[in-house]
Amino acid sequence: AGPGQPSPQQRTETLGFYESDRGRKKKRSLSVDLSLLRFISAELTRGYFLEHNEAKYTERRERVYTCMRIPKELEKLMFFGIFLCLDAFLYVFTLLPLRVFLAMFRFITLPCYGLRDRRLLQPAQVCDMLKGVILVICYFMMHYVDYSMMYHLIRGQSVIKLYIIYNMLEVADRLISSFGQDILDALYWTATEPKERKRAHIGVIPHFFMAVLYVFLHAILIMVQATTLNVAFNSHNKSLLTIMMSNNFVEIKGSVFKKFEKNNLFQMSNSDIKERFTNYVLLLIVCLRNMEQFSWNPDHLWVLFPDVCMVVASEIAVDIVKHAFITKFNDITADVYSEYRASLAFDLVSSRQKNAYTDYSDSVSRRMGFIPLPLAVLLIRVVTSSIKVQGVLAYVCVVLFYCGLISLKVLNSIVLLGKSCQYVKEAKMEEKLFNPILTATPGKPAGKQQGTYKSTQGISTDENGSTSVTNQPVHQKENMPSLLVTSNSDQFLTTPDGEEKDISQDSSELKHRSAKKDLLEIDRFTICGNRID
């Protein structure tokens, strides 16, 4: 090798170094390729076992099944509740006039039999007389309200104005209903309160005028609602009807994302029943007014039929979606609707007892917020103005129609009573009918309350040795029984009723128990709002 040139040994070492370096790079790239292929293969063949979190996926499946059961259970409750409202509504047209006639007959013939009792009329008869007089007075007052002028006045407004008016009417209807039932209850109690007590009221006459004013204003409010709906039906482009129906879907936004407990859901279910039945009556009024304008042409009824079906279908769809998501977000099972139905059935069965403290129609009014008197006044006004009765044959038809209404009322009451007894037995609530548990009234100790209750009961023994309890219908405000629901699946709805608790328990436990409202105690809270404070 020349000077400055590498020797053969150095050349061999250099060549070996480069060969080893290329080998290392080749191995490194090969290992990288193998790692990428292994990762892709792992991603393609990676497995997992759902059974490792079985509880979570079982819960998700149950939620799906609950949402699938909601339409059936909800509609069963709605179907039962609508017929309860129908029974209370038919009572105003059928049995109430007969009861008023019997009360007047008793009042007229009372001098012939002498005053065997301190009361001229029984409390129930006094309430019937007041209802009848209010109904007649408000009916004649409604004659001064021009329906045609109201229709054209509303029809001349813009679509946006009518949409705002309709929403305001819905809110006003709920507010006036919540206050109206209190006005009627105050009138009934003031008129039937025992006279030996110290007077703590303004008198029967002021309460009576307040009740007449309420029924008249509420009837006008419902008439404006029916007129607005009639304008929507008769609009050419149906835009107003579409906007009104979209208002139902806005209700979903206001309800679904709120915290609901089972008592709150029961409150909202009752409100939905009342709202759906009221809408059916409003649709009936709209059809009557339209058929009158077209000289009762049956072809026009088929023109209205698609719009009616669309309104009813949207109402049902909104209720189903609303209740499905409320039960999903609040972990409420679909079985709760059976408890709600049993509570409504319990009201019907308990109102048939001898010691009942209210009429069933008033019980429905307090529970659902459905007050039949204003709606009945409006329906009578619309029917009498739409249908002209002339001739003997027409009056015979009216009598036959009235007999048919009575038959429908009696049949409906019998079927409802039978189904209610079945629901009460299924819920195991028979003991509540015969062994009511007393709760302390606000502001009074439980001990005094219990003593008052015992003093108003007389236990008598007949010849066969069997005991019977005779309840004296006095001071109902203080000895009103608390009717409780028994449910194993929901501790929030129940109050322990097997063993009587000692009255001298800790105050914290008493506050905790008083905070839990029972299903059967939810009545006057069912009108406005979505919470029970």
Side-chain angles (χ1 to χ4, degrees):
Q5 292 183 352
S7 62
Q9 184 178 0
Q10 292 177 348
R11 192 181 298 115
T12 303
E13 291 177 355
T14 302
L15 183 62
F17 174 78
Y18 284 117
E19 287 180 355
S20 61
D21 186 57
R22 285 196 299 267
R24 284 194 300 270
K25 290 182 178 180
K26 186 176 181 180
K27 288 181 179 179
R28 190 180 299 113
S29 63
L30 182 60
S31 62
V32 171
D33 293 340
L34 290 177
S35 299
L36 180 60
L37 291 175
R38 191 181 301 114
F39 175 77
I40 295 175
S41 176
E43 288 295 319
L44 293 176
T45 60
R46 179 170 54 88
Y48 49 87
F49 298 92
L50 299 180
E51 60 188 18
H52 291 168
N53 198 354
E54 181 180 355
K56 173 184 176 181
Y57 292 104
T58 302
E59 181 184 359
R60 298 296 174 87
R61 184 174 61 185
E62 291 299 325
R63 286 184 180 180
V64 175
Y65 292 162
T66 299
C67 290
M68 294 173 61
R69 289 180 56 196
I70 288 299
K72 178 182 176 182
E73 298 296 329
L74 177 63
E75 289 307 313
K76 287 166 65 175
L77 173 65
M78 289 288 178
F79 191 75
F80 183 72
I82 286 173
F83 274 94
L84 291 180
C85 293
L86 178 63
D87 190 70
F89 192 57
L90 289 177
Y91 171 82
V92 179
F93 301 98
T94 56
L95 299 186
L96 181 61
L98 299 179
R99 290 174 63 93
V100 171
F101 176 76
L102 292 177
M104 292 179 62
F105 181 77
R106 170 186 167 86
F107 183 77
I108 294 174
T109 59
L110 192 60
C112 300
Y113 299 98
L115 291 176
R116 299 180 181 179
D117 193 3
R118 295 168 59 185
R119 297 177 180 267
L120 296 178
L121 294 174
Q122 295 297 323
Q125 293 176 330
V126 174
C127 294
D128 293 335
M129 291 283 291
L130 291 174
K131 291 178 184 178
V133 174
I134 292 173
L135 199 67
V136 173
I137 292 177
C138 292
Y139 168 72
F140 284 107
M141 291 174 65
M142 289 294 292
H143 281 282
Y144 293 96
V145 181
D146 192 352
Y147 184 88
S148 300
M149 183 187 68
M150 184 183 298
Y151 176 83
H152 291 289
L153 181 64
I154 294 176
R155 190 174 184 179
Q157 305 299 323
S158 62
V159 175
I160 300 300
K161 278 187 178 181
L162 292 180
Y163 175 69
I164 297 174
I165 290 173
Y166 193 77
N167 290 338
M168 293 174 59
L169 291 175
E170 285 189 347
V171 176
D173 178 64
R174 296 189 179 188
L175 295 177
I176 198 172
S177 296
S178 62
F179 189 62
Q181 186 58 42
D182 293 339
I183 292 177
L184 294 177
D185 287 339
L187 172 63
Y188 301 151
W189 174 241
T190 305
T192 59
E193 188 178 8
K195 304 301 181 183
E196 61 270 10
R197 295 188 182 179
K198 181 180 179 181
R199 178 170 175 173
H201 53 81
I202 60 177
V204 179
I205 302 300
H207 279 286
F208 178 76
F209 282 115
M210 289 172 59
V212 171
L213 181 62
Y214 154 70
V215 175
F216 177 65
L217 293 179
H218 199 177
I220 292 179
L221 179 66
I222 300 175
M223 175 182 281
V224 177
Q225 280 185 293
T227 307
T228 309
L229 191 61
N230 194 8
V231 171
F233 268 72
N234 294 330
S235 60
H236 298 289
N237 53 3
K238 304 295 181 182
S239 60
L240 179 59
L241 185 60
T242 305
I243 293 176
M244 286 177 156
M245 290 172 53
S246 66
N247 187 40
N248 294 330
F249 292 91
V250 177
E251 184 181 353
I252 297 178
K253 178 183 177 182
S255 302
V256 166
F257 301 106
K258 290 183 179 180
K259 177 64 177 177
F260 273 85
E261 293 175 350
K262 292 189 176 181
N263 284 355
N264 306 122
L265 184 59
F266 183 44
Q267 164 206 0
M268 192 182 68
S269 301
N270 290 332
S271 179
D272 291 339
I273 292 172
K274 174 252 180 183
E275 182 180 356
R276 190 178 294 189
F277 181 79
T278 304
N279 288 337
Y280 291 162
V281 178
L282 291 180
L283 290 175
L284 175 62
I285 293 174
V286 169
C287 291
L288 287 175
R289 298 298 300 179
N290 279 274
M291 293 297 292
E292 179 198 3
Q293 297 299 324
F294 287 88
S295 302
W296 300 97
N297 185 8
D299 295 335
H300 185 69
L301 184 62
W302 296 107
V303 177
L304 298 173
F305 187 73
D307 295 335
V308 172
C309 293
M310 187 167 54
V311 172
V312 174
S314 66
E315 188 73 25
I316 295 175
V318 167
D319 289 340
I320 290 176
V321 173
K322 180 174 63 176
H323 283 263
F325 280 99
I326 286 176
T327 52
K328 178 183 183 298
F329 293 152
N330 297 276
D331 294 329
I332 301 176
T333 62
D335 297 331
V336 72
Y337 292 100
S338 300
E339 300 179 17
Y340 298 161
R341 190 176 56 195
S343 300
L344 296 178
F346 190 91
D347 288 342
L348 176 59
V349 176
S350 60
S351 65
R352 307 289 178 175
Q353 290 183 313
K354 293 182 179 179
N355 59 346
Y357 56 87
T358 183
D359 186 67
Y360 174 67
S361 60
D362 296 329
S363 176
V364 172
S365 301
R366 298 184 189 98
R367 174 76 75 172
M368 299 182 183
F370 172 68
I371 305 176
L373 285 181
L375 199 59
V377 169
L378 177 60
L379 187 60
I380 295 174
R381 170 70 175 85
V382 172
V383 170
T384 53
S385 62
S386 302
I387 302 175
K388 305 300 180 182
V389 180
Q390 297 177 352
V392 179
L393 183 60
Y395 283 101
V396 172
C397 293
V398 170
V399 173
L400 293 178
F401 180 74
Y402 180 72
C403 294
L405 283 181
I406 294 178
S407 303
L408 178 62
K409 169 67 174 69
V410 172
L411 179 62
N412 187 39
S413 299
I414 292 174
V415 174
L416 282 178
L417 186 60
K419 298 298 290 185
S420 299
C421 293
Q422 176 185 347
Y423 297 149
V424 169
K425 288 182 180 179
E426 291 176 356
K428 299 179 181 179
M429 297 167 60
E430 304 99 316
E431 296 181 358
K432 311 300 178 185
L433 293 172
F434 308 106
N435 299 320
I437 300 176
L438 188 68
T439 57
T441 55
K444 291 192 176 183
K448 294 182 180 180
Q449 180 75 14
Q450 192 172 6
T452 305
Y453 179 66
K454 288 182 179 179
S455 64
T456 56
Q457 285 187 344
I459 303 178
S460 59
T461 307
D462 56 10
E463 297 178 356
N464 298 329
S466 60
T467 60
S468 61
V469 179
T470 304
N471 293 328
Q472 301 296 330
V474 295
H475 212 172
Q476 294 287 351
K477 187 67 178 178
E478 296 183 1
N479 61 1
M480 186 180 300
S482 173
L483 307 174
L484 307 178
V485 179
T486 303
S487 172
N488 296 327
S489 61
D490 177 33
Q491 296 298 328
F492 180 78
L493 301 176
T494 61
T495 301
D497 57 352
E499 299 179 359
E500 294 186 357
K501 301 290 183 180
D502 188 15
I503 300 176
S504 61
Q505 288 181 337
D506 295 335
S507 59
S508 61
E509 183 179 357
L510 291 176
K511 292 180 180 179
H512 179 68
R513 289 178 57 189
S514 62
K516 297 183 177 181
K517 293 184 176 64
D518 191 82
L519 274 181
L520 294 175
E521 296 176 355
I522 303 174
D523 42 22
R524 59 185 180 275
F525 302 98
T526 61
I527 311 300
C528 303
N530 293 321
R531 300 290 297 172
I532 299 179
D533 297 325

